[in-house]
Amino acid sequence: MGNKKYHERTRAQESSNAIERIYITMRHLFNRGFYKPMGISGDTLRQSLLLLRPEIYGSIGEEKAELEGLLYVIDRLPVGIEECTFINLTSDEGYANSHFKVIIPEKRRRNCYRIDAEQMNIEITRGRSEIYDILTHITFIFIESHKISNRVIIDECGSTTRDWKKLENAVLSKKKLTQEEREIAITHTANILGRTFNELRTVYNDFATPEQPERLLHIVYWLGKLAIEEQVNNNKRTVTFSPVLRERLGHHIHGEIWADTIKETLYKHNLLDRPLHIISANMHSVMNTLYGPAALKTTGSKDIYAVYESLSKKENNELRSKITKEALLNGMIYIEDTSGTKIDVQIFDTSKLDISKLDIQVDENLIKSKKPVIMVMDYAFGEQAYETIDELLKPYKVKGNKIHMNIDSISIMGKAGILEGGKGDIMIPTAHIFEGTADNYPFKNELSKKDLEGNGIDVYEGTMITVLGTSLQNKDILKFFYNSTWSVIGLEMEGAHYQKAIQAASKVRGSISENVKVRYAYYASDNPLETGATLASGGLGTTGVKPTYLITRKIIEQIFN
């Protein structure tokens, strides 16, 4: 028994070490300016990823191809990236004003441009976390591509198997495939991937898009084709970082423009000296909570969560526009992002809100006397959380005078991985620890477990870990976090970054009051310790609606009382 425990711990230490190596390597390659993921320069990255075998990348270490992981990654990378030999990470360098058509990945808001048949440019405006995210995803799909080429090349001259030739014919034929042709192509592809016909048929439609119904075949073919070219002709795929990106990174350029726009808007509407409550959340829950009852006349409705659930369904666009319209007429100002941070903002002037129509407890005297202003910012991404909040909390300069903003509270809500419990449960952190270090940020959380209990959702309270990237965790590390004296309840990517900026502004720089209230609450998007419950197993669906609104309502209730 004693022996076994020791062995498990070394696996966690190995993993932790691999994560550290991955980040050091990525920073080194970035400074160097280019590298070949499947060449000597990408070797450390590949070996570390294979040693780590993150949960999200499933069977990356095995011979058979990984399907769920591939889908997860492909949704976060630009359409067509599998066809490109050159991937260029750039800063915001003016492509938006060119003839290039912008490509935005399905599950990640980032601008990408296909320059020509061989090159894809990906615009980085959200800091280092975004680079880490993209490079690990690229490494994963390139490792997968070599699994394909290893299975289909028969000799040194690059002759290929019959399966490969059949797949090639299916992908390159211009005509629409019949059901029979599709099933024949799937049979050959399953053979190439080392998967069953059934496994491929199950995920086939998840990959399909209206423009590309046979997208899975297309992706497998192009990944394999470029890998064959690498192995046979030594024509290696290359990732480059533009000189402007290397020069700008870490200088808060986008965050500063973003924060200045917000302060300017507050100043223009005479809201700068009013008590300000910042909430980092999505772009719908606060607006729906404040204006839903008036717009949809649901005041007194028995199940308000059923209303929220129907609002989250794609087909109910009309209901959503109704609420947005109501909000814009009664105190909401919407700032669409133009800075490149991809973080839109809503500002709510509560003095224009019809309090009588709200379905949450409100201290009317407080609203009338203090007239608080609520600012909702969309989710930041990893390190970007520090950049944006750090810039936002700095005093605003008007005609040479510094105006310190009157910031009352900062609330952060978001999705996180949970280590005990399941999808849709709620986590209330008492401190954030930064992964790979012992850096810790304890704070007094205004939200507590008892605030959210008794609503049919499990609530956990404890430490949370801020990871460098969600796609790098494996079970061994997570078990270590969970079982060690840190007693971690969940993992996310922004907490420590937010807290670092808030702490600096309130305790060190004196930009805002040191009594600023902070609230953190997360709902679980997945449990990476449970097989089949990782992020790659698909979205939350409507499971996320209730916890989102429960947290939102609690935050607003505290602001209004």
Side-chain angles (χ1 to χ4, degrees):
M1 222 9 235
N3 192 13
K4 185 169 188 296
K5 188 164 185 208
Y6 176 70
H7 177 71
E8 266 184 3
R9 220 167 91 216
T10 55
R11 174 72 185 132
Q13 286 167 335
E14 252 178 26
S15 305
S16 186
N17 204 320
I19 290 183
E20 203 169 338
R21 266 207 311 279
I22 287 173
Y23 286 103
I24 293 169
T25 308
M26 287 200 273
R27 290 188 102 142
H28 162 70
L29 295 172
F30 176 73
N31 290 333
R32 182 181 170 201
F34 74 97
Y35 80 106
K36 295 180 173 162
M38 298 313 284
I40 294 165
S41 49
D43 192 45
T44 315
L45 214 48
R46 293 198 308 277
Q47 295 315 322
S48 304
L49 207 58
L50 287 167
L51 173 74
L52 190 61
R53 295 195 297 280
E55 292 307 302
I56 218 157
Y57 296 147
S59 59
I60 185 172
E62 299 169 34
E63 269 186 41
K64 61 179 182 185
E66 166 58 28
L67 297 172
E68 280 187 345
L70 183 62
L71 178 63
Y72 178 84
V73 167
I74 282 291
D75 277 348
R76 283 154 180 80
L77 291 171
V79 171
I81 194 162
E82 68 279 0
E83 301 172 15
C84 298
T85 321
F86 298 95
I87 295 164
N88 188 18
L89 304 192
T90 71
S91 175
D92 176 359
E93 297 173 26
Y95 291 104
N97 312 322
S98 65
H99 76 281
F100 297 114
K101 186 170 158 276
V102 63
I103 305 169
I104 298 172
E106 173 82 11
K107 298 273 172 73
R108 274 275 187 272
R109 288 166 308 168
R110 47 173 75 114
N111 295 343
C112 309
Y113 302 92
R114 182 78 180 260
I115 305 300
D116 53 34
E118 296 176 315
Q119 182 180 337
M120 179 71 78
N121 279 14
I122 302 178
E123 219 168 72
I124 305 288
T125 53
R126 308 172 76 170
R128 280 200 188 89
S129 300
E130 191 167 21
I131 295 174
Y132 299 154
D133 194 49
I134 291 167
L135 295 188
T136 43
H137 288 345
I138 288 172
T139 308
F140 163 74
I141 61 170
F142 285 8
I143 290 174
E144 290 295 308
S145 75
H146 273 238
K147 287 184 190 173
I148 298 169
S149 60
N150 290 337
R151 289 183 88 103
V152 301
I153 299 175
I154 336 178
D155 57 26
E156 276 84 67
C157 316
S159 310
T160 51
T161 60
R162 176 173 172 268
D163 283 320
W164 180 255
K165 291 182 181 119
K166 295 286 185 189
L167 171 63
E168 185 164 46
N169 293 341
V171 171
L172 299 180
S173 85
K174 291 281 175 269
K175 61 183 193 5
K176 195 169 178 277
L177 297 185
T178 63
Q179 180 65 17
E180 189 183 338
E181 290 166 332
R182 180 177 302 121
E183 289 187 352
I184 292 170
I186 290 176
T187 305
H188 294 298
T189 311
N191 237 347
I192 292 167
L193 297 179
R195 291 284 186 175
T196 65
F197 175 76
N198 209 21
E199 284 173 319
L200 243 69
R201 210 175 49 182
T202 312
V203 297
Y204 202 82
N205 288 335
D206 297 336
F207 279 89
T209 62
E211 303 77 50
Q212 248 187 335
E214 321 299 341
R215 185 153 167 244
L216 178 58
L217 301 181
H218 184 95
I219 289 167
V220 171
Y221 170 70
W222 278 98
L223 284 177
K225 180 177 158 64
L226 296 187
I228 292 168
E229 281 178 21
E230 283 192 337
Q231 283 181 289
V232 178
N233 309 324
N234 207 16
N235 184 11
K236 296 258 189 279
R237 288 169 282 191
T238 308
V239 173
T240 51
F241 305 95
S242 84
V244 181
L245 174 66
R246 287 158 68 203
E247 183 187 303
R248 282 182 182 173
L249 196 75
H251 290 313
H252 289 203
I253 289 172
H254 302 286
E256 192 176 353
I257 300 169
W258 175 82
D260 284 347
T261 309
I262 294 166
K263 292 173 203 172
E264 215 170 280
T265 309
L266 290 167
Y267 178 70
K268 206 168 72 194
H269 290 85
N270 295 322
L271 302 173
L272 253 191
D273 51 353
R274 303 247 294 267
L276 180 66
H277 298 269
I278 299 168
I279 303 177
S280 166
N282 49 60
M283 286 281 100
H284 52 80
S285 61
V286 175
M287 177 176 75
N288 290 349
T289 304
L290 293 177
Y291 298 96
L296 308 175
K297 314 215 173 0
T298 56
T299 319
S301 120
K302 281 194 183 50
D303 190 6
I304 188 68
Y305 294 103
V307 177
Y308 295 143
E309 203 160 301
S310 64
L311 281 171
S312 73
K313 294 193 174 127
K314 272 203 176 100
E315 61 269 22
N316 290 333
N317 209 2
E318 214 171 296
L319 292 180
R320 287 193 291 273
S321 333
K322 222 171 170 175
I323 295 177
T324 310
K325 202 168 144 191
E326 174 80 18
L328 289 166
L329 291 172
N330 296 289
M332 178 173 94
I333 303 158
Y334 182 64
I335 308 174
E336 192 168 350
D337 178 62
T338 52
S339 70
T341 57
K342 300 277 186 293
I343 298 177
D344 296 334
V345 168
Q346 296 160 330
I347 294 168
F348 300 98
D349 177 356
T350 60
S351 67
K352 298 183 176 167
L353 195 62
D354 184 349
I355 300 169
S356 65
K357 291 189 175 150
L358 284 177
D359 60 356
I360 40 184
Q361 273 186 316
V362 177
D363 176 347
E364 289 195 34
N365 296 332
L366 176 121
I367 305 261
K368 283 179 180 145
S369 59
K370 293 203 168 173
K371 300 178 181 154
V373 174
I374 296 175
M375 179 202 129
V376 179
M377 59 182 274
D378 212 340
Y379 300 121
F381 186 67
E383 278 186 34
Q384 190 193 27
Y386 177 75
E387 173 179 337
T388 46
I389 291 283
D390 185 53
E391 291 297 333
L392 185 63
L393 301 183
K394 286 178 182 170
Y396 182 54
K397 293 190 183 89
V398 185
K399 301 175 186 144
N401 294 329
K402 273 188 185 174
I403 300 178
H404 286 264
M405 293 195 297
N406 180 5
I407 294 177
D408 252 17
S409 76
I410 300 170
S411 308
I412 313 290
M413 65 173 271
K415 282 194 291 220
I418 195 167
L419 298 181
E420 181 181 351
K423 283 190 181 189
D425 289 348
I426 290 176
M427 290 159 278
I428 306 286
T430 48
H432 289 294
I433 313 167
F434 200 43
E435 179 182 42
T437 68
D439 298 357
N440 52 80
Y441 300 88
F443 49 85
K444 183 191 178 305
N445 195 342
E446 294 294 318
L447 289 169
S448 69
K449 189 174 172 177
K450 65 172 192 297
D451 286 333
L452 293 150
E453 273 180 333
N455 291 287
I457 290 177
D458 286 344
V459 184
Y460 298 89
E461 198 165 27
T463 318
M464 286 189 71
I465 197 143
T466 299
V467 297
L468 291 151
T470 45
S471 50
L472 287 181
Q473 311 310 310
N474 69 16
K475 281 205 169 82
D476 303 284
I477 290 192
L478 298 173
K479 277 183 188 145
F480 171 71
F481 289 153
Y482 182 57
N483 296 324
S484 74
T485 51
W486 290 111
S487 49
V488 172
I489 54 167
L491 55 145
E492 48 74 60
M493 276 183 70
E494 292 81 25
H497 299 297
Y498 278 126
Q499 192 53 29
K500 187 163 70 168
I502 295 166
Q503 224 161 278
S506 59
K507 306 273 193 289
V508 183
R509 291 175 152 175
S511 313
I512 61 172
S513 155
E514 63 175 298
N515 299 323
V516 64
K517 293 185 170 71
V518 292
R519 301 180 190 90
Y520 287 90
Y522 300 92
Y523 59 94
S525 53
D526 63 309
N527 182 335
L529 280 176
E530 281 177 24
T531 307
T534 66
L535 279 172
S537 68
L540 269 164
T542 51
T543 321
V545 175
K546 189 166 180 185
T548 304
Y549 280 94
L550 193 56
I551 296 167
T552 306
R553 288 169 72 91
K554 205 69 216 170
I555 291 172
I556 295 173
E557 210 170 279
Q558 288 195 357
I559 291 172
F560 283 171
N561 288 284

